[in-house]
Each structure stands twice: as structure tokens, then as C-alpha cells.
Amino acid sequence: MRTNFVTVPRRAFCTHAAISGTSHIARLARLGQIENARRVFDQMLHKPIASWNAVIAGYFQNSRPHEARQLFDRMPERNTVSWNGLVSGYVKNGMIDEARKAFDVMPERNVVSWTAMVRGYVQERMISAAELLFWQMPEKNVVSWTVMLGGLIQDGRIDESRRLFDMMPVKDVVARTNMIGGYCQEGRLDKAREIFDKMPHRNVVCWTAMITGYAQNNRVDIARKLFEVMPEKNEVSWTAMLMGYTQCGQIEEASEIFNAMPVKSVVACNAMILGFGQCGEVVKARQVFDLTREKDGGTWSAMVKVYERKGFELEALDLFATMQREGVRPSFPSLISILSVCASLACLDQGRQVHAQLIRSHFDFDVFITMYIKCGNLVRAKLVFDRFGVKDVVMWNSIITAWFRRRGFESISRDGSSMAPPDEVTFVGVLSACSYTGKVNEGLEIFESMKSKYLVEPQTEHYACTVDLLGRAGRLNEAMNLIRGMPVEADAVVWGALLGACRTYMNLDLAEVAAKKLLELEPENAGPYILLSNIYASKGKWNDVADLRRKMRSRSVSKSPGCSWIEVEKHVHMFTGGNCRSHPEHVGILRMLEKLGVLLRQAGYSPDGSVVLHDIDEEEKVHSLSYHSEKLAVAFGLLKIPEGMPIRVMKNLRVCGDCHSAIKLIAKVTGREIILRDANRFHHFKDGFCSCRDYW
């Protein structure tokens, strides 16, 4: 038996090995294994140009442009593909100047070279440079036209885009889809639909672009009709329809789409979390969060944001702590949400940590100023403020409002020469500060100067501040005259300011006028009922009090219970008035209250029963006063917070007169600094005095 042998030239083996090696290099580079790709390349005996090109492309793909250029310079010979790879590589790495230098010295260019350079300018938003180069091109293909078209659309030049589109010799599905997207961004849905309807062939991308356009322009009904007749749908199509509903607040329809989705992407889950949150469905938002298997940073950020926006501050802090335990790197939006929570709860320690994280990430924003202000640390807020070179009006508004309330006019006026021009918000802050500090004449002068000196037209909120300014000073008739002379209809804030002043000065006649107006404007608001009830109670009109409470019950109006909270060792402890037995350390708190009671009586404290607006005897009134939520929180702070550190307490309502007097004395007899933030302002208690000078 004879065996036939075929002789294969050695060169054929080398060529096959070179092709195989080049493919292997490209595959490794795509997988991010550039070092292994380089080793394969270095071991090749015969290195064709394609293998050099593959390694250079790999370096660019892995964001190592300098090694790519070094290898390019070592090439024994180069072809047009090599040069195109260099230009495209620089473009992909955002190095447009290096790309242009390489383009200019190319010995020979083809349409790929020109298109790569045009694409680079478009990516860098240098549309004029892209246009100039585009019109110099000796030949153009459909990709060149489409890249330039995308640049014009990106630049918002939709009419010029249409002219270029009409000039295109060949219009592929990408170009048509780009035009649809461009018209939709401008809200010109009829033009977009015209192109869509004339398309000879449609793919899932152009269908999705048209649906997205309708959804983003609040035409979700048309979007849904188009969605229903799509020949095929992908994950992006489902998500586009879902987000159209969530953005319009149609959460039931969004839920229907979400439940029908064959694959629930993380983007869709995030949209549903935010959608439920916007509609106040916090429990359902959390259910979606818990059911999301592959959570990304956006998922955590969305849930934290929902908690923060809907007043679930404690839940937001707990979720953020879980996020950190699980090693999830917090995004900028989630850090900002938590910073807002820290400001709302006056959690200074946690706020400082978030501030530090943002600084390490090279973020520094005026939101920090607000956080430190709301935590009562004005010195730190001013330090952050001073660190900014150029201060915008938002920063000035934040610091002015806080500093005026605490220190008065003279402390900021030194910086007046460098202030940004005041806007409407500035005047709200300054007028409020005048009101809280009792600077009536200064406040009235500022109100009068708004239009004459600063050319800022007073709005309803400025009138509300001025009514409050006059009301706090007991000038109720002047406040009423100001309301009558308003060029616009007074809103609930204006009447609320007057009613609050009537409560302070027990002016029943004006209180009934203000309360009637408020109940017309906000029938569901418990505030007017409570304030008017308090006035009736102070005057012993218990039948009128009972009548008001019956009306509240019949209209399903409920009062928010008073509560106070304090941060200790990164945990927020909440207290409500009446008792503290639900707290794990209630025994220690009660003992501290007894001890404080003895010290206060020795210091001359006498409970003010007039603030207890119930028809009960004096002994019960004294007992009720002892268990107000702010006193419970202060007692807990004295137990837990080391001496030398201020005790920071938050309260959701205005602090009552008795608690204010008691905490002043507590600060004196214990030698502690106590900072209480109520619904109106900060009270810094030290050595028996308060920063408000008993004017709040």
C-alpha cells in the first residue's frame, strides 16, 4: 500500500500561524487582556502588518494610547489601515489634537480616515471643525454623511440637519432614525412621524425612537398605540414605554407595562422605583427595589432619593448604611440626597462624613453650606462659604439668611462689596431674618427698597415675610392693612403669618378672619384649626374648642403629633410627647428628667401652664409639660453625649414657651450648650441665654 505525501511550503505554515496569531491577539485585546496579547505578539516569528495593527488597536481599546503610539513608531512598515487605526484610536480616547496631527501627516488617506476625523470632532462637540473637514472630503460614503448628520442634530441645528439629510445620496435606517430622534428632541413630532411613515424598512431601533419621542413629549397615548403594533419589541422598547408613563405620572399604566415585561431590566426597575416614589407609593417603590436582582448604583440612589423626598429620613439613613456595608460605591446623587437628609435631621456627624466623601471625589458644592446651616454649625458653614472663590447668588442667599438670623446685619455687611446682585430669594431670606430678629424698621426699609432700588418686584412670599415681620412685633393692624393693599390675592402663607401673630397676641377678631380665609384656601390643612383652637383655649372658650375639633373630625383633618429627635453615635432617636416608654433607655431618661426637675426648681423655674391648651387641672398641666418631646430628647442627650460637645435636637413644630424657658435653665445648670432647631428657627442655648433673645 502506497501513501501519498503532499508537500506544503514552509511559507504557507508561517502565513497560517501569523493569521491565527493575529486573530488571537485581537480576541485577547477585546477581552481586556492586553498584556497577554502583547506576549503572543512578541513570540511570533513572523509579524505581518495586521498583527502590529491588532496590538496597537488593543492598546487603544484598553485606554493606553501612549503604548499604542510607541509600538506604531516601531513598525517596520505601515499601511493605510495602520494610520486609520492610529487616528481612530486617538479619537476613541478623546485626544483630538493628536488625531489631527496623525491625520495631517498620513501619506495616503481614504474615506475611512476622513470619516474617523469628522467623527472625532463631532464627539468633542467641535461641530464647525467637523463641517469644514466634511465638505473637504474628496469622497463620502453613507457613514460619513450619517456622522455629520448626527453632529448637526447634536448641536440643535435641526433645520440644517434636514437640508443635509435631503442631500444624502443614500439614506440608510441609521440616518432616518437620527432625524426622527432630532425632530422629537425639538418637539416636532409631525416631521418625525413623516420620516418614520416613509421609511422603506424599519427596525426595532427606529420604532423605539418614535415611541420615545411621543412619550417624552407627553403623548403617551399615541406612543402606546404605536407600541402595541410594533412587529418586535426589545428591552429598550419596553423601557421607553414604561418611562413615558412614569414621567407623566401615570403609575397604574406604568405598572401594567412593568408587570408585562418579559425581562425587567435594571433601568426599568429604577424607573419604577422613582415613578412610585413621585406618586407617594413608597412601600411599592421599596418592593420593586427588593425584587431587583441586579442592583446598580442607580437603583440604590433612586430608593434613597424616594425616601429623602417623601420624608422617610430615617429609612434613607438605614438604606445608605446598608449600601455602604454591601460595598456599593455611592453615586453623586445618592450622596446629595443623604446630605439633604442629614440637614433635615440635623445629623452633623454623618453630614461631615458625606461632605468628606464628596471632597475626596473632587466635588464641593453650596449644598454643604446648607447642610451645616441646618445642623446649626454656622462657623463651619461660613468656612465652606469662604473657600469658594467665585460665589453665586445661591451661596450668598444661603449664608445671608442663616447669618442674619444668628448674628444680625453688621456681620455680613462687611462682605457686601463682593456680593452677587440680590434676587427674589435673597429678599425672602433677609426679610425672614429681620422678622426673626425683631428688626422691624430695617425690614420695612428693605421691603420698600426692593422695587425702587433693586428693581425686584415684590411677590406674594415677600408680602408674607413682611406680614410676619409686623405680626411678630404686635403691629397686627398694620399687617392687615398691608394684606388689604396687596396687588395680588393673598395666599395661605400670608394669612398663616397673620394667624400665627394673632395666636401670639391673642387677637381673636383678626384670628377668625385669617382662619376663615385659610380654611377656604386649604380646607385639608390642620394648622388654622389648631391655631384658632389654641386662641379659644387661652381665653377659656372650651365650647368653641370642642366645636372646632368636631369640625376637624367630620372633615378628616388630623394634626401632626409633636416629635423631636437627636442623633447619637450615628443613630437617630425619635421622641413623641407624653412618654418615652417605647425607648430602650426610658428608665435612664425618666431619672434624668427627675434630676433636672430638682435642679430647675432650685434655679427658680416655674412651669407655664398657659401653654397646655386642654381643659385639665394645674397638676395635670405640670405633668404634661414635663414630657414634651424636646425635653425628652434633651434628657437623652445629657445621658449620652459627652461633656464639651453640643447637644443638637430637632423638633417638627414650634417650641413652646415653657420648653424654651426650661431649656435655657437646663443649659445654665448643666453647663452644656444645647442647639434646638424647631419649625421656625435655631435656638442656641448657653449659660441661661438663647440666641433668639426670647423673640421667636
Side-chain angles (χ1 to χ4, degrees):
M1 185 178 205
R2 228 167 73 184
T3 304
N4 294 323
F5 292 94
V6 179
T7 304
V8 179
R10 183 173 182 275
R11 180 170 179 172
F13 280 117
C14 291
T15 303
H16 177 74
I19 293 170
S20 176
T22 302
S23 299
H24 190 39
I25 289 167
R27 186 165 59 253
L28 289 170
R30 282 195 300 272
L31 294 171
Q33 300 178 28
I34 188 61
E35 301 298 345
N36 291 337
R38 181 58 190 265
R39 274 194 288 273
V40 172
F41 173 77
D42 290 339
Q43 290 168 6
M44 291 174 66
L45 297 174
H46 175 66
K47 297 180 176 68
I49 293 178
S51 64
W52 289 84
N53 293 345
V55 180
I56 290 167
Y59 276 127
F60 277 124
Q61 287 168 12
N62 288 275
S63 304
R64 294 167 65 174
H66 299 298
E67 287 102 324
R69 183 59 198 243
Q70 287 171 359
L71 196 61
F72 179 86
D73 291 339
R74 285 178 49 201
M75 289 181 74
E77 57 177 322
R78 308 179 185 96
N79 58 16
T80 305
V81 176
S82 312
W83 283 97
N84 286 346
L86 184 67
V87 173
S88 298
Y90 278 137
V91 165
K92 287 174 185 173
N93 283 268
M95 302 169 71
I96 193 67
D97 293 335
E98 287 78 359
R100 185 58 194 255
K101 288 174 187 174
F103 177 82
D104 287 341
V105 298
M106 284 181 71
E108 187 178 333
R109 304 185 191 105
N110 60 16
V111 69
V112 177
S113 324
W114 287 87
T115 303
M117 199 62 234
V118 172
R119 189 190 303 279
Y121 282 130
V122 168
Q123 286 176 0
E124 296 298 316
R125 297 186 177 274
M126 301 167 66
I127 309 302
S128 298
E131 275 187 285
L132 185 64
L133 200 64
F134 176 78
W135 293 116
Q136 292 174 3
M137 289 179 70
E139 62 169 322
K140 304 175 184 72
N141 62 13
V142 68
V143 179
S144 318
W145 285 95
T146 304
V147 168
M148 191 64 246
L149 180 71
L152 292 173
I153 292 170
Q154 176 185 300
D155 207 33
R157 294 154 61 181
I158 192 67
D159 292 326
E160 292 175 62
S161 304
R162 182 56 192 257
R163 286 194 287 272
L164 189 72
F165 177 77
D166 292 338
M167 292 170 60
M168 291 178 69
V170 178
K171 300 175 182 68
D172 65 359
V173 69
V174 177
R176 294 174 193 270
T177 303
N178 281 354
M179 279 305 302
I180 290 169
Y183 274 131
C184 288
Q185 286 174 10
E186 297 289 317
R188 295 161 70 175
L189 298 175
D190 292 341
K191 290 286 186 182
R193 186 59 186 263
E194 180 187 328
I195 292 173
F196 177 81
D197 288 340
K198 290 180 179 178
M199 289 180 74
H201 304 288
R202 303 188 191 103
N203 60 15
V204 70
V205 179
C206 64
W207 279 90
T208 303
M210 196 67 243
I211 288 167
T212 302
Y214 279 126
Q216 289 178 345
N217 286 276
N218 298 321
R219 305 279 291 277
V220 286
D221 294 339
I222 300 175
R224 182 62 182 268
K225 288 175 183 176
L226 207 60
F227 178 80
E228 295 296 347
V229 298
M230 278 183 78
E232 62 169 321
K233 303 176 181 74
N234 63 11
E235 187 180 293
V236 181
S237 318
W238 284 94
T239 305
M241 193 65 247
L242 172 76
M243 293 180 75
Y245 280 130
T246 58
Q247 287 164 7
C248 292
Q250 298 184 29
I251 197 64
E252 290 183 12
E253 291 82 355
S255 296
E256 178 193 330
I257 290 287
F258 184 69
N259 293 331
M261 288 179 74
V263 177
K264 294 174 175 61
S265 68
V266 69
V267 177
C269 292
N270 296 353
M272 279 306 298
I273 291 168
L274 290 172
F276 277 131
Q278 286 167 2
C279 295
E281 300 276 6
V282 178
V283 173
K284 289 182 179 178
R286 183 57 194 250
Q287 287 171 351
V288 175
F289 175 83
D290 291 336
L291 292 172
T292 306
R293 294 180 180 177
E294 300 292 330
K295 297 179 179 70
D296 64 4
T299 315
W300 291 90
S301 179
M303 195 64 237
V304 168
K305 183 178 180 181
V306 167
Y307 278 145
E308 179 248 321
R309 292 287 171 88
K310 295 301 171 183
F312 290 75
E313 287 93 352
L314 297 179
E315 289 81 355
L317 286 176
D318 286 343
L319 189 65
F320 187 71
T322 304
M323 185 178 174
Q324 291 184 305
R325 281 196 301 271
E326 295 193 10
V328 180
R329 183 180 174 84
S331 64
F332 177 69
S334 62
L335 287 171
I336 292 298
S337 291
I338 287 298
L339 203 61
S340 297
V341 168
C342 293
S344 296
L345 294 177
C347 297
L348 186 58
D349 291 340
Q350 292 206 38
R352 280 199 194 105
Q353 291 185 1
V354 175
H355 186 182
Q357 280 185 273
L358 286 162
I359 293 293
R360 285 195 295 272
S361 302
H362 305 292
F363 291 115
D364 204 351
F365 292 87
D366 55 277
V367 69
F368 305 137
I369 299 171
T370 304
M371 188 275 293
Y372 284 118
I373 287 169
K374 288 190 174 182
C375 289
N377 194 332
L378 284 185
V379 174
R380 184 69 177 173
K382 188 68 163 59
L383 286 172
V384 175
F385 175 79
D386 289 339
R387 209 166 56 229
F388 283 90
V390 179
K391 302 172 180 68
D392 63 16
V393 72
V394 177
M395 296 180 194
W396 277 106
N397 289 346
S398 297
I399 202 71
I400 283 171
T401 303
W403 213 261
F404 273 4
R405 289 186 184 183
R406 177 77 184 278
R407 303 289 177 85
F409 287 81
E410 66 283 351
S411 55
I412 282 287
S413 59
R414 300 189 203 103
D415 296 328
S417 59
S418 61
M419 280 179 61
D423 63 4
E424 293 89 346
V425 180
T426 314
F427 285 105
V428 170
V430 174
L431 289 170
S432 297
C434 291
S435 179
Y436 288 127
T437 53
K439 296 183 180 294
V440 182
N441 293 332
E442 292 93 331
L444 291 173
E445 286 176 15
I446 289 169
F447 179 73
E448 293 297 330
S449 71
M450 283 181 65
K451 190 173 181 180
S452 61
K453 183 176 179 181
Y454 297 100
L455 306 179
V456 176
E457 190 71 36
Q459 304 297 317
T460 311
E461 54 267 29
H462 302 111
Y463 281 96
C465 291
T466 311
V467 168
D468 188 59
L469 172 77
L470 292 167
R472 284 175 186 272
R475 294 159 68 169
L476 299 181
N477 290 329
E478 289 178 63
M480 190 66 203
N481 290 335
L482 182 65
I483 294 173
R484 291 195 182 106
M486 283 177 63
V488 293
E489 194 71 26
D491 64 6
V493 180
V494 175
W495 288 111
L498 180 64
L499 183 57
C502 291
R503 158 70 179 91
T504 303
Y505 290 98
M506 295 300 151
N507 188 320
L508 184 56
D509 294 336
L510 280 181
E512 288 177 333
V513 172
K516 183 181 177 182
K517 290 286 187 180
L518 270 170
L519 293 174
E520 289 173 4
L521 293 167
E522 294 183 344
E524 304 298 318
N525 184 1
Y529 293 98
I530 303 303
L531 286 172
L532 191 56
S533 173
N534 290 350
I535 296 173
Y536 285 143
S538 298
K539 291 185 175 291
K541 296 192 171 190
W542 299 110
N543 290 334
D544 291 327
V545 171
D547 184 49
L548 272 179
R549 288 178 179 168
R550 276 194 297 272
K551 285 181 181 177
M552 288 179 69
R553 283 194 295 272
S554 67
R555 297 174 185 177
S556 301
V557 177
S558 59
K559 174 193 173 186
S560 298
C563 64
S564 301
W565 56 93
I566 183 171
E567 182 194 15
V568 175
E569 296 177 353
K570 297 185 183 178
H571 290 286
V572 177
H573 298 260
M574 188 82 71
F575 297 91
T576 54
N579 69 78
C580 60
R581 297 198 179 278
S582 60
H583 195 279
E585 300 197 42
H586 70 275
V587 174
I589 295 169
L590 292 174
R591 285 177 182 160
M592 177 57 74
L593 284 173
E594 288 176 13
K595 179 182 175 182
L596 288 173
V598 173
L599 292 172
L600 291 177
R601 283 192 295 274
Q602 290 173 352
Y605 165 71
S606 177
D608 181 6
S610 67
V611 301
V612 181
L613 302 171
H614 299 283
D615 192 9
I616 56 177
D617 61 35
E618 288 302 314
E619 187 177 341
E620 287 180 282
K621 287 183 179 182
V622 171
H623 182 270
S624 173
L625 288 170
S626 301
Y627 293 94
H628 276 196
S629 63
E630 53 266 57
K631 287 177 183 168
L632 296 173
V634 168
F636 184 66
L638 289 167
L639 276 176
K640 290 297 189 180
I641 295 175
E643 289 190 19
M645 292 181 64
I647 296 167
R648 301 174 189 276
V649 174
M650 283 278 295
K651 183 175 172 65
N652 67 332
L653 304 175
R654 180 180 182 271
V655 61
C656 78
D658 179 75
C659 285
H660 191 271
S661 300
I663 296 173
K664 277 199 302 181
L665 282 175
I666 290 171
K668 181 178 181 180
V669 298
T670 61
R672 301 294 295 269
E673 180 183 2
I674 301 170
I675 300 169
L676 171 66
R677 187 177 120 197
D678 69 5
N680 287 342
R681 61 169 299 153
F682 272 101
H683 300 269
H684 290 245
F685 299 98
K686 191 174 182 180
D687 300 329
F689 296 96
C690 179
S691 58
C692 75
R693 301 183 182 92
D694 299 336
Y695 189 91
W696 83 101

